[in-house]
Amino acid sequence: VVTGWDKIRIVPHGVDLSVYNTSLREDKPRPFTFLSVKGWAKGKNDRGGLQYAIRAFKEEFLTEWKEGKVRFLAKVNPAYLAPDHNAHIGAMMNELGVPVEPQVQIATQDMSPEGLRGLYYDADIFINTTRAEGFGLTGLEAHACGLSTIQSCYGGQTDYMEVDTDTMIEEGTLDLVDFDLEYEGVKWFTPSIPAIRKAMRWSYEHQDEVREAGKRASKGCVAWTWRKAAEKALSNLG
């Protein structure tokens, strides 16, 4: 019998609005850009779910990316990669049957917070097709930088997602993790590729609405700062 749940208090992460904000954001001519900021180490089985977003993008926008109308950017945490980053990424892309091409750009270098902010500025919508997430801080940073998001329904990111700013991927299955002893007995969400494609297509065809949703998302971030997190933590210590 598990007891003591009444003693548990949840304190969220927060976003640094002195760095992540819209003050330097400029609208520039570019292909409509999807952005994901994730770890990605285990190819098609990875918990972060980047593999699903890449696959959905290539399946949905075959014509558009050949015409230079759309692109996919991903910032991958190098801490999770083998020493030869390019070889590791190439192997995982080949496993997906998706060769590395200019329309799918994957950055693996370390970035400063300001550099990461520039990446958010260079995108039109943030996507996180995660299988399981503790909080999903990068989605909140994207909000602060003026981006609407497309994210899975399984994880902490659902705490800050709103119906008028974000699209939630709810179609999928809960699958037992049977390939990693660290997560033995745990279930992760596997998002539906058709559902991801549908969300991506809608955002591409409703760019003005996506832009306005991003503006609303950035305004809502005042409730999700590190100061708010600290205040909540202190209130729980009293």
Side-chain angles (χ1 to χ4, degrees):
V1 178
V2 177
T3 60
W5 290 110
D6 60 319
K7 300 182 184 300
I8 294 175
R9 300 291 184 271
I10 297 175
V11 178
H13 287 198
V15 62
D16 184 353
L17 295 181
S18 70
V19 176
Y20 301 105
N21 54 64
T22 60
S23 63
L24 300 176
R25 187 177 181 91
E26 299 178 10
D27 289 327
K28 299 178 180 179
R30 61 165 177 264
F32 186 79
T33 302
F34 296 91
L35 170 67
S36 185
V37 182
K38 292 297 299 175
W40 189 30
K42 298 181 180 179
K44 65 182 182 180
N45 288 323
D46 197 82
R47 178 176 62 83
L50 178 57
Q51 63 273 23
Y52 304 118
I54 293 174
R55 178 182 161 192
F57 171 79
K58 294 301 293 284
E59 290 182 5
E60 183 62 31
F61 295 104
L62 181 62
T63 300
E64 289 85 357
W65 66 256
K66 284 185 176 181
E67 295 175 349
K69 296 179 179 178
V70 64
R71 63 177 177 162
F72 188 103
L73 301 181
K75 169 63 177 75
V76 175
N77 188 338
Y80 300 108
L81 300 175
D84 189 334
H85 296 172
N86 291 334
H88 193 166
I89 292 293
M92 292 191 294
M93 293 288 280
N94 287 333
E95 183 184 27
L96 297 180
V98 180
V100 178
E101 295 168 332
Q103 293 78 14
V104 177
Q105 302 171 19
I106 300 179
T108 61
Q109 69 271 29
D110 289 320
M111 282 188 180
S112 65
E114 291 75 18
L116 188 57
R117 178 184 62 200
L119 205 57
Y120 292 126
Y121 283 176
D122 202 27
D124 294 284
I125 192 165
F126 180 87
I127 184 165
N128 175 25
T129 50
T130 181
R131 304 194 69 190
E133 201 73 43
F135 181 75
L137 179 58
T138 53
L140 189 59
E141 292 172 349
H143 268 189
C145 291
L147 295 182
S148 172
T149 76
I150 299 169
Q151 301 194 70
S152 298
C153 66
Y154 196 68
Q157 72 279 2
T158 61
D159 285 354
Y160 61 78
M161 293 177 71
E162 301 288 350
V163 294
D164 67 336
T165 60
D166 306 285
T167 300
M168 190 176 293
I169 304 298
E170 298 181 292
E171 296 176 31
T173 58
L174 276 179
D175 300 315
L176 194 66
V177 179
D178 58 5
F179 51 83
D180 192 332
L181 288 176
E182 182 180 0
Y183 296 101
E184 185 175 9
V186 172
K187 288 184 178 181
W188 289 345
F189 180 68
T190 302
S192 159
I193 295 296
I196 299 169
R197 290 178 59 172
K198 181 179 179 180
M200 296 178 89
R201 172 60 62 178
W202 189 93
S203 67
Y204 176 74
E205 293 182 350
H206 297 81
Q207 297 182 24
D208 289 341
E209 293 175 53
V210 166
R211 191 175 300 110
E212 290 304 310
K215 292 177 181 178
R216 291 194 296 272
S218 68
K219 294 177 181 178
C221 286
V222 293
W224 291 94
T225 64
W226 286 112
R227 176 175 288 277
K228 292 290 186 181
E231 290 172 354
K232 188 168 187 177
L234 286 171
S235 70
N236 290 328
L237 295 175

